[in-house]
Amino acid sequence: MKPFLDSLRQNRLIASIVRHGWPNTRLNQALVITNNFFLHLHPVKIPRHALRFTYTFGLGGLAVLLFAVLTITGGLLMLYYVPSTEVAYDLMKDLRFTVPYGRLLRNLHRWAAHGMVIIVLLHLCRVFYTGAYKRPREFNWVVGFSLFVLTLGLAFTGYLLPWDQLAYWAINVGTEILQTAPLIGKWGRELLLGAEHIGQNALLRFYALHVFFLPLIMGLLMGIHVWRVRKDGGISMPESELTTIVLDLDDNEEDRPRPEAPLKTYDLVALPRGVPVITEREPENLVMTFPHLVFKEFTVAIAALALLLIISFVFDAPLEQLADPEKTPNPAKAPWYFLGLQEMLSWGPPIIGGVIVPTVVSLVLMALPYFDRSPRGVGEWCASQRWRAVVLFTAVLLFFTIITILGTLFRGPNWRFTVPW
Amino acid sequence: MSFQKVFILSSIALLAISVAWVVRELNPPWLRYQEAYHDWLRAAAPETTPASLQAQRFSGLQQVGVQALRRLDRCTTCHPGVADPRAKEAPPMFRFRPVHAQHPMEKFGCTLCHRGQGRATEVPEAHGEAPFWDEPLLRGVYLQAACGQCHREPLPTQAPLLEEGRQLFEVYGCRNCHRLDGRGRQVGPDLAGVGSKAPEDLMWGDDTGPRTLPIWLLRHFKDPRTFQPNSPMTDFRLNDAQATALTIYMLSLTKLEMPRALLPSRSRPAPQPEEGA
């Protein structure tokens, strides 16, 4: 094995692609990270704390993985799909029955999409419960929340494309919720649908949003989100674990106390223009990103992919009858992630359930880091100093979870209470 | 469980499920039907089987597209032979049917008469007997309903039950309450397109049994109050055969707009009377 690998290493083609040696030395393990386009998002070394699976559950990485799965399967589905009310439904049938691996593509795309809504929401909850949105990560929370909204937008626009009864009526109900917004509601719905009712224009607009505009914005924001994680010193962690690196770039600031010079330097560090890198603490609790973190990430990705393929094998993506504007199902339901809103709409004036509650909750959530400015309780789950925030957030989360489950499973014809069994 | 264990187990799972997907894709359920047909063909009619077919076990996915009907029927993938005169003696699911000689598949497809889901290549989806497909296969005597979609002339030998149903409709004076082809009173529902109704369009009451249009019609004819206890419809005390005949006639009254080119010359419809005439 070893001679074979060595001969591989000496191959000029391979050496030109992989420009570092076998990663059994610290130098090469560092080069694995810095010389690889995908891995260079990581620092060469990370705090041991960041390795703890139960701190993040790999949720951010899973969201990226699902986005990649969705991009690849979505791109392949585009080879077959035509956003036309005449043929879209027939093409769903062809994907299911005759396109090679069409069933796999559509099932994977469908379940990965639902999965991504759930994973992104869980990631949001993780960041909340660990207080990770606090200084200096306030704005990244805003970016992250926007990514959550974009995920919902992508899921919603994709929902219409199969052009079956499920798609048609879910989008009908969903856009009717939008219409309850005062002043801009009706206008917004027409802008989205390109007409007063869902038809060819709406299908084309949803398609363009789904395959171009929203993924473009999403990709950009994802880049910013991950980049900022890195710029903000990696994932959040308790102050006790912090190894602060203070880069003092402003030479003119005389009255600022100069930190002492480091006792020890890193194995590998780039010094920007000779400015000293000062650490408050010795970096003993750092570990090499490769192999420690990379191995864990790889494992989670493999497990997630296996699970996704198994789910896709067992459960086919739903497809009901061809969309028929004349035949309203009873009850007509929005996609599940909006059923909490639909449930609230059924309680009383639409302005409350459709507009005030979602808007206020979204705005408060989005601006959360600017309300909750206490720097305490970062880096651990549900820190006791933050009990008020934790209780409040949990209450809101539980409320939305319960009404979503209520709307999804316990509402039958005429939105009457039913039991699903 | 350590990450090493998770890594090994997930890798095995990923490999296994990938293999499962490939196996599934390479073995569509229709392969074994084609294999059975080719085996039969080689055994039963070796002299008529072209040399090219001798060694062949499969003919691949088959489909018949009918542009005028916007239909694509893949039924012959599992049912090869139904339009092949060599297969007169073949097992029922492959057997040649003489009626197909007068109704060439390239012109009519399959589902126009048989219903079911033409694009599907698996049972029960292809037979239209899976959820979310409103046109289940017309089985057995019910297939006679298909003839009535185009043939308005009497078909006493080809479709005796359809014919009986048409006669019962006139004999029992159904038009005293129901309108059909623009004639008849409108006490009960207009029967235009009744043969295209989906199960959701029908009143099922508290009934929890299987829901298809033929089942509803049959039980409704035998007892009009079986689904709607206060239905004003007259109970004609029909026997099973009569109820079946009427059901077949109703099933023939579809919403399909048949291209003129497909209609039999003898029964191209006369100009319809004006509404209210």
Side-chain angles (χ1 to χ4, degrees):
Chain A
M1 195 71 182
K2 185 90 168 55
F4 171 68
L5 290 172
D6 284 342
S7 71
L8 266 190
R9 286 278 321 119
Q10 276 144 26
N11 180 297
R12 289 187 70 171
L13 174 68
I14 291 178
S16 73
I17 299 168
V18 184
R19 291 182 291 197
H20 53 75
W22 193 248
N24 50 3
T25 65
R26 286 210 151 195
L27 174 64
N28 281 337
Q29 287 175 353
L31 288 172
V32 166
I33 301 295
T34 52
N35 282 7
N36 181 295
F37 175 76
F38 300 100
L39 293 178
H40 92 281
L41 289 170
H42 289 314
V44 165
K45 285 180 157 192
I46 51 160
R48 194 171 291 280
H49 167 84
L51 275 185
R52 258 171 49 209
F53 179 69
T54 50
Y55 183 63
T56 63
F57 292 99
L59 290 163
L62 280 174
V64 174
L65 176 78
L66 288 172
F67 186 75
V69 169
L70 287 161
T71 307
I72 293 166
T73 54
L76 291 171
L77 286 168
M78 281 173 73
L79 301 181
Y80 296 96
Y81 184 77
V82 180
S84 146
T85 57
E86 298 275 309
V87 298
Y89 180 76
D90 286 344
L91 295 173
M92 292 299 117
K93 293 291 183 187
D94 288 356
L95 281 170
R96 166 69 181 78
F97 291 110
T98 55
V99 171
Y101 298 94
R103 185 182 191 179
L104 170 68
L105 287 181
R106 185 160 122 77
N107 290 0
L108 268 183
H109 197 76
R110 183 74 168 208
W111 301 132
H114 287 323
M116 187 162 164
V117 173
I118 295 170
I119 292 289
V120 170
L121 179 65
L122 289 177
H123 180 51
L124 186 147
C125 294
R126 192 287 285 175
V127 170
F128 175 83
Y129 283 118
T130 55
Y133 54 85
K134 296 182 180 229
R135 224 174 93 83
R137 300 182 176 79
E138 302 103 315
F139 188 69
N140 217 10
W141 165 273
V142 178
V143 175
F145 192 83
S146 313
L147 282 167
F148 172 60
V149 174
L150 274 172
T151 304
L152 289 180
L154 271 161
F156 186 68
T157 48
Y159 216 86
L160 182 64
L161 305 187
W163 201 250
D164 63 336
Q165 281 285 77
L166 186 66
Y168 182 90
W169 289 101
I171 301 308
N172 207 351
V173 173
T175 50
E176 269 166 21
I177 296 175
L178 181 70
Q179 201 170 0
T180 57
L183 302 173
I184 57 158
K186 205 169 156 1
W187 174 83
R189 184 176 195 259
E190 277 190 34
L191 182 71
L192 193 60
L193 298 184
E196 270 181 52
H197 301 286
I198 300 173
Q200 180 59 61
N201 281 355
L203 185 58
L204 197 55
R205 282 181 189 211
F206 273 57
Y207 179 71
L209 283 170
H210 188 74
V211 306
F212 181 72
F213 293 107
L214 295 182
L216 187 74
I217 304 170
M218 184 102 172
L220 190 69
L221 283 189
M222 272 170 72
I224 295 174
H225 193 64
V226 175
W227 180 80
R228 284 190 85 109
V229 169
R230 185 68 198 281
K231 293 291 156 187
D232 293 339
I235 64 163
S236 57
M237 64 192 104
E239 220 166 314
S240 58
E241 307 251 353
L242 270 181
T243 308
T244 319
I245 296 170
V246 183
L247 284 180
D248 189 353
L249 293 173
D250 192 353
D251 289 336
N252 300 329
E253 214 175 309
E254 286 298 326
D255 35 316
R256 202 161 149 190
R258 286 254 165 190
E260 284 173 38
L263 297 169
K264 187 172 161 186
T265 50
Y266 295 98
D267 296 27
L268 185 92
V269 79
L271 298 179
R273 280 190 294 135
V275 174
V277 173
I278 314 295
T279 63
E280 288 176 354
R281 188 193 299 263
E282 287 303 308
E284 267 82 19
N285 51 0
L286 293 182
V287 292
M288 293 303 285
T289 302
F290 185 93
H292 301 283
L293 179 65
V294 174
F295 173 67
K296 284 197 170 184
E297 288 177 329
F298 196 63
T299 302
V300 172
I302 298 237
L305 276 181
L307 187 66
L308 203 53
L309 279 164
I310 292 169
I311 293 173
S312 301
F313 193 89
V314 178
F315 301 102
D316 278 329
L319 187 68
E320 297 190 355
Q321 290 97 335
L322 175 67
D324 185 352
E326 307 286 310
K327 260 190 206 169
T328 316
N330 187 2
K333 287 190 178 183
W336 63 267
Y337 33 84
F338 289 146
L339 282 181
L341 294 186
Q342 197 180 348
E343 173 63 29
M344 273 197 290
L345 279 177
S346 73
W347 297 346
I351 188 85
I352 294 176
V355 184
I356 296 178
V357 174
T359 310
V360 168
V361 169
S362 306
L363 286 181
V364 168
L365 262 183
M366 197 155 176
L368 183 70
Y370 304 101
F371 291 115
D372 177 18
R373 281 180 297 192
S374 144
R376 287 175 309 163
V378 178
E380 57 173 313
W381 279 81
C382 306
S384 53
Q385 308 98 304
R386 296 179 59 226
W387 71 270
R388 282 183 214 86
V390 168
V391 168
L392 191 65
F393 182 85
T394 309
V396 173
L397 186 68
L398 264 183
F399 172 73
F400 273 97
T401 310
I402 289 171
I403 60 171
T404 302
I405 293 174
L406 184 65
T408 308
L409 297 174
F410 295 90
R411 290 298 184 182
N414 303 322
W415 211 252
R416 272 197 304 266
F417 186 85
T418 50
V419 282
W421 47 84
Chain B
M1 199 157 47
S2 74
F3 260 81
Q4 275 83 353
K5 270 191 196 151
V6 176
F7 175 75
I8 292 167
L9 290 179
S10 326
S11 302
I12 294 169
L14 184 60
L15 192 67
I17 189 66
S18 306
V19 170
W21 266 108
V22 173
V23 169
R24 184 197 248 182
E25 282 291 321
L26 295 182
N27 293 285
W30 47 263
L31 277 185
R32 62 195 170 96
Y33 298 116
Q34 289 196 355
E35 219 173 344
Y37 178 68
H38 282 267
D39 284 347
W40 176 84
L41 203 60
R42 265 194 299 276
E47 71 287 350
T48 59
T49 312
S52 61
L53 262 181
Q54 282 292 347
Q56 197 184 338
R57 297 177 69 76
F58 315 111
S59 33
L61 190 89
Q62 305 291 313
Q63 58 186 20
V64 183
V66 186
Q67 190 70 46
L69 297 166
R70 296 190 41 76
R71 272 169 199 257
L72 190 62
D73 291 341
R74 301 181 168 131
C75 314
T76 46
T77 302
C78 293
H79 302 283
V82 290
D84 181 349
R86 285 177 303 167
K88 281 195 180 85
E89 310 277 310
M93 71 169 287
F94 307 129
R95 192 177 297 161
F96 171 73
R97 313 286 170 162
V99 69
H100 290 154
Q102 296 133 40
H103 298 84
M105 207 168 282
E106 311 74 62
K107 203 170 153 194
F108 293 91
C110 312
T111 53
L112 180 65
C113 299
H114 290 276
R115 304 196 186 176
Q117 187 179 168
R119 282 178 185 263
T121 56
E122 283 172 36
V123 174
E125 287 85 354
H127 293 167
E129 287 162 350
F132 305 121
W133 194 258
D134 291 337
E135 296 203 326
L137 209 60
L138 291 174
R139 289 180 176 277
V141 290
Y142 290 100
L143 184 55
Q144 294 181 22
C147 311
Q149 292 183 132
C150 301
H151 294 275
R152 303 298 173 98
E153 77 276 16
L155 297 164
T157 53
Q158 301 94 326
L161 281 171
L162 170 70
E163 208 43 51
E164 189 187 340
R166 284 172 170 173
Q167 280 162 18
L168 285 171
F169 189 80
E170 303 302 336
V171 168
Y172 282 108
C174 300
R175 285 189 210 272
N176 285 338
C177 294
H178 292 286
R179 194 176 175 84
L180 181 60
D181 289 341
R183 288 186 291 126
R185 290 166 62 198
Q186 284 177 292
V187 181
D190 191 323
L191 295 177
V194 65
S196 295
K197 286 206 171 193
E200 309 89 270
D201 302 336
L202 304 163
M203 308 270 228
W204 291 90
D206 301 328
D207 191 80
T208 53
R211 298 189 165 186
T212 69
L213 179 60
I215 289 174
W216 190 91
L217 288 168
L218 192 68
R219 291 180 55 190
H220 175 74
F221 283 130
K222 286 169 75 174
D223 175 10
R225 271 158 281 283
T226 179
F227 297 119
Q228 299 149 271
N230 48 6
S231 166
M233 168 132 160
T234 315
D235 185 351
F236 293 96
R237 310 210 168 271
L238 301 171
N239 62 31
D240 283 0
Q242 290 169 318
T244 307
L246 268 177
T247 299
I248 290 171
Y249 179 40
M250 292 300 109
L251 288 173
S252 77
L253 303 172
T254 55
K255 276 189 199 154
L256 283 173
E257 282 172 32
M258 217 59 71
R260 259 185 90 79
L262 293 189
L263 287 175
S265 49
R266 271 182 296 170
S267 64
R268 294 218 167 123
Q272 301 273 313
E274 286 300 306
E275 192 71 18

